[in-house]
């Protein structure tokens, strides 16, 4: 059976990472969480003081800007990798050899990741790493621009979406299940802001590839999503293997 490349794109917190991880494990493919890669860059920037708060006359924070010049200079220091966790059955994210899977899922990182991911030099560096990871096919990769930029020739492309309210609730439930602080209204605002930034950025904006299959999973269970994706996978593998 020939191996294919699977690109799963979609809005934040729509469950595409869960779908991608489950599919990769089911069919024995390599899974790459590109969102975790941009979150790792964001964590690096936070830890190294590369965000600067701009205050108004009343000393209130009015904006947060990125020290782009310094981040660009330090990009070669950022190496992201994934290691399989036998306890969870899924890969964990490592930043320069340090396990950061929990650190990159905080709201502090969520609130900063979209502006980081919109930077052209950051995307160029991450895309290069992603393309290297998937050069031998047999890979499932999810993100915002996998089917349009990273792997435009992927044999199977899926674009996942769901309402902002449903996605915020899923994110809230996920954080609470991990014992982390969470506020639904803050999360909903974050989801809506990320949607806008991701869809309007100049470099590789979030959009559905012309040949992608769209899935609105607002009212689907995880098992239903898994079955749907498995069926699409086997259809594509059969089609690809017969050519």
């Amino acid at each position: 059976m020939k191996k294919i490349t699977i690109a799963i794109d979609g809005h934040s917190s729509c469950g595409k990472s869960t779908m991608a991880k489950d599919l990769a494990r089911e069919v024995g493919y390599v899974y790459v969480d590109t969102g975790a890669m941009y979150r790792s860059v964001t964590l690096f920037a936070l830890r190294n003081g590369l965000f600067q708060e701009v205050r108004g006359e009343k000393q209130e924070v009015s904006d947060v800007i990125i020290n782009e010049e310094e981040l660009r200079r330090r990009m070669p220091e950022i190496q992201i990798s994934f290691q399989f966790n036998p306890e969870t059955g899924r890969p964990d994210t490592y930043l320069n050899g340090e396990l950061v899977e929990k650190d990159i899922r905080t709201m502090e990182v969520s609130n900063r990741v979209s502006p980081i991911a919109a930077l052209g030099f950051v995307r160029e560096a991450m895309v290069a790493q992603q393309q290297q990871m998937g050069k031998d096919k047999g890979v499932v990769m999810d993100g915002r621009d996998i089917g349009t930029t990273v792997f435009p020739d992927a044999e199977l492309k899926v674009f996942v979406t769901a309402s902002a309210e449903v996605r915020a609730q899923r994110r809230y439930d996920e954080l609470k299940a991990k014992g982390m602080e969470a506020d639904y209204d803050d999360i909903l605002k974050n989801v809506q802001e990320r949607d806008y930034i991701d869809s309007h950025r100049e470099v590789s904006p979030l959009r559905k590839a012309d040949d992608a299959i769209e899935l609105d999973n607002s009212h689907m269970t995880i098992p239903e999503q898994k079955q749907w994706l498995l069926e699409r996978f086997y259809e594509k593998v059969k089609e690809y293997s017969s050519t």
Side-chain angles (χ1 to χ4, degrees), residues 23-91:
L23 178 64
R25 182 172 51 191
E26 185 79 18
V27 302
Y29 275 25
V30 174
Y31 167 70
V32 178
D33 181 353
T34 64
M37 297 176 73
Y38 290 104
R39 284 175 172 272
S40 296
V41 177
T42 305
L43 181 64
F44 178 90
L46 283 165
R47 287 179 169 180
N48 288 276
L50 302 184
F51 286 97
Q52 179 181 351
E53 295 181 347
V54 179
R55 298 182 180 275
E57 294 180 359
K58 296 181 180 180
Q59 293 301 305
E60 296 177 350
V61 176
S62 58
D63 197 8
V64 177
I65 60 174
I66 305 164
N67 187 337
E68 295 184 26
E69 183 178 346
E70 183 65 9
L71 179 58
R72 184 194 298 269
R73 186 184 72 80
R74 300 190 65 176
M75 281 304 296
E77 300 177 25
I78 302 175
Q79 294 299 320
I80 300 160
S81 58
F82 298 92
Q83 294 183 27
F84 184 76
N85 184 332
E87 292 184 5
T88 63
R90 294 177 173 177

Side-chain angles (χ1 to χ4, degrees), residues 45-189:
L46 283 165
R47 287 179 169 180
N48 288 276
L50 302 184
F51 286 97
Q52 179 181 351
E53 295 181 347
V54 179
R55 298 182 180 275
E57 294 180 359
K58 296 181 180 180
Q59 293 301 305
E60 296 177 350
V61 176
S62 58
D63 197 8
V64 177
I65 60 174
I66 305 164
N67 187 337
E68 295 184 26
E69 183 178 346
E70 183 65 9
L71 179 58
R72 184 194 298 269
R73 186 184 72 80
R74 300 190 65 176
M75 281 304 296
E77 300 177 25
I78 302 175
Q79 294 299 320
I80 300 160
S81 58
F82 298 92
Q83 294 183 27
F84 184 76
N85 184 332
E87 292 184 5
T88 63
R90 294 177 173 177
D92 286 334
T93 310
Y94 286 75
L95 171 61
N96 296 331
E98 176 194 352
L99 175 62
V100 293
E101 187 62 37
K102 186 173 182 179
D103 303 74
I104 63 174
R105 307 297 176 183
T106 64
M107 282 304 298
E108 183 180 24
V109 170
S110 294
N111 287 330
R112 300 282 184 264
V113 65
S114 286
I116 287 286
L119 296 173
F121 64 88
V122 172
R123 300 204 71 83
E124 182 180 349
M126 294 300 100
V127 167
Q129 290 191 33
Q130 291 156 16
Q131 290 175 331
Q132 181 63 28
M133 292 175 185
K135 62 183 177 62
D136 296 323
K137 294 187 179 291
V139 64
V140 184
M141 199 171 290
D142 74 276
R144 303 289 193 281
D145 61 349
I146 311 306
T148 55
T149 301
V150 183
F151 293 117
D153 297 324
E155 289 81 6
L156 175 58
K157 299 179 186 178
V158 177
F159 188 86
V160 189
T161 187
S163 71
E165 290 75 17
V166 167
R167 289 183 282 133
Q169 187 63 51
R170 288 174 178 170
R171 180 69 177 148
Y172 173 85
D173 293 341
E174 178 186 1
L175 290 173
K176 295 298 286 186
K178 293 179 179 179
M180 301 170 69
E181 291 295 320
D183 180 275
Y184 173 81
D185 291 333
D186 288 345
I187 294 172
L188 178 59
K189 180 182 178 183

Side-chain angles (χ1 to χ4, degrees), residues 197-227:
I197 294 173
D198 292 343
S199 301
H200 290 78
R201 66 184 179 220
E202 291 185 14
V203 182
S204 298
L206 170 65
R207 67 176 180 82
K208 176 179 173 289
D210 294 337
D211 54 347
I213 306 169
E214 184 167 337
L215 173 67
D216 185 333
N217 65 8
S218 296
H219 305 292
M220 294 176 71
T221 64
I222 290 177
E224 287 172 342
Q225 296 171 53
K226 180 179 179 180
Q227 182 61 35

